[in-house]
């Protein structure tokens, strides 16, 4: 993967999984720009203070327009709702992914919104009895199975690129 500061990754939801992936990216790719949104303002403040995030967004808005990858890490129903907002914001070559365990509804929503060429669903097989950003770890997904569920319309190049990125984490 590129090691430059022009590569930007966004997170919507910074709980245990989203926060852990963001912390892992910060460790492996310290020069990447990381933008995050969470409904819990204390989580955003903590993520900024400890250096996981470069920018905390107060809403899902134009802050995410420069993202090369965007991880949807909120509950599935929220992720689906955020898709409608993101459709008009994300650049065409952004890889959009999620970490939800249920794939049918989000794949249908992506299809309905015409976002199939950008979507590579994902599900890391990790977890904890604890929840929230403060319990996240920059090594939570290390050596874990991470399933991806690309749409039929996403290019093989994007799938390969994203798969390699996840393997490096």
């Amino acid at each position: 993967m590129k090691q430059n500061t022009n590569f930007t990754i966004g997170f919507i939801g910074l709980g245990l999984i989203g926060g852990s992936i963001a912390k892992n990216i910060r460790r492996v790719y310290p020069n990447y720009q990381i933008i995050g949104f969470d409904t819990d303002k204390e989580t955003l403040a903590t993520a900024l203070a400890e250096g996981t995030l470069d920018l905390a967004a107060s809403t899902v808005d134009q802050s995410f327009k420069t993202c090369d990858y965007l991880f949807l890490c909120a509950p599935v129903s929220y992720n689906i709702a955020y898709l409608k907002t993101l459709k008009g914001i994300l650049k065409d070559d952004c890889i959009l992914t999620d970490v939800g365990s249920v794939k049918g509804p989000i794949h249908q929503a992506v299809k309905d919104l015409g976002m199939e060429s950008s979507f590579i669903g994902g599900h890391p097989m990790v977890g904890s009895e604890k929840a929230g950003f403060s319990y996240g770890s920059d090594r939570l997904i290390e050596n874990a199975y991470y399933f991806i569920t690309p749409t039929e319309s996403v290019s093989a190049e994007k799938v390969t690129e994203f798969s390699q990125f996840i393997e490096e984490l």
Side-chain angles (χ1 to χ4, degrees), residues 20-77:
S20 292
I21 295 171
K23 289 175 183 185
N24 192 333
I25 291 168
R26 176 59 68 216
R27 178 179 58 82
V28 176
Y29 298 107
N31 295 326
Y32 282 10
Q33 297 295 305
I34 302 176
I35 301 168
F37 166 77
D38 197 279
T39 56
D40 183 338
K41 302 308 177 207
E42 192 173 308
T43 292
L44 288 175
T46 301
L48 275 172
E50 57 180 55
T52 300
L53 296 182
D54 295 298
L55 174 69
S58 57
T59 61
V60 176
D61 60 17
Q62 293 292 321
S63 301
F64 294 95
K65 71 181 178 184
T66 62
C67 289
D68 296 288
Y69 292 171
L70 182 82
F71 285 81
L72 296 169
C73 304
V76 175
S77 62

Side-chain angles (χ1 to χ4, degrees), residues 16-17 19-25 27-28 126-127 135-144 168-169:
L16 178 70
I17 304 298
S20 292
I21 295 171
K23 289 175 183 185
N24 192 333
I25 291 168
R27 178 179 58 82
V28 176
V126 296
Y135 293 105
S137 163
D138 66 356
R139 304 215 185 248
L140 185 69
I141 67 168
E142 195 171 73
N143 298 316
E168 290 169 10
L169 296 179

Side-chain angles (χ1 to χ4, degrees), residues 5 14 25 30 37 42 46 49 51 74 100 102 107 125 128 139 148:
T5 56
L14 289 167
I25 291 168
F37 166 77
E42 192 173 308
T46 301
V102 177
H107 271 273
M125 300 300 291
S128 170
R139 304 215 185 248
I148 62 166

Side-chain angles (χ1 to χ4, degrees), residues 64 67-70 90-96 117-119 158:
F64 294 95
C67 289
D68 296 288
Y69 292 171
L70 182 82
L90 297 179
K91 59 186 184 178
D92 291 340
D93 62 345
C94 176
I95 292 176
L96 179 62
S117 65
S118 300
F119 189 74
K158 281 186 178 182

Side-chain angles (χ1 to χ4, degrees), residues 1 12-13 37 41 45 49 57 70 76 84 88 108 113 127 145:
M1 291 297 297
I12 296 178
F37 166 77
K41 302 308 177 207
L70 182 82
V76 175
K84 294 175 185 132
Q108 187 60 53
L113 290 166
Y145 287 105

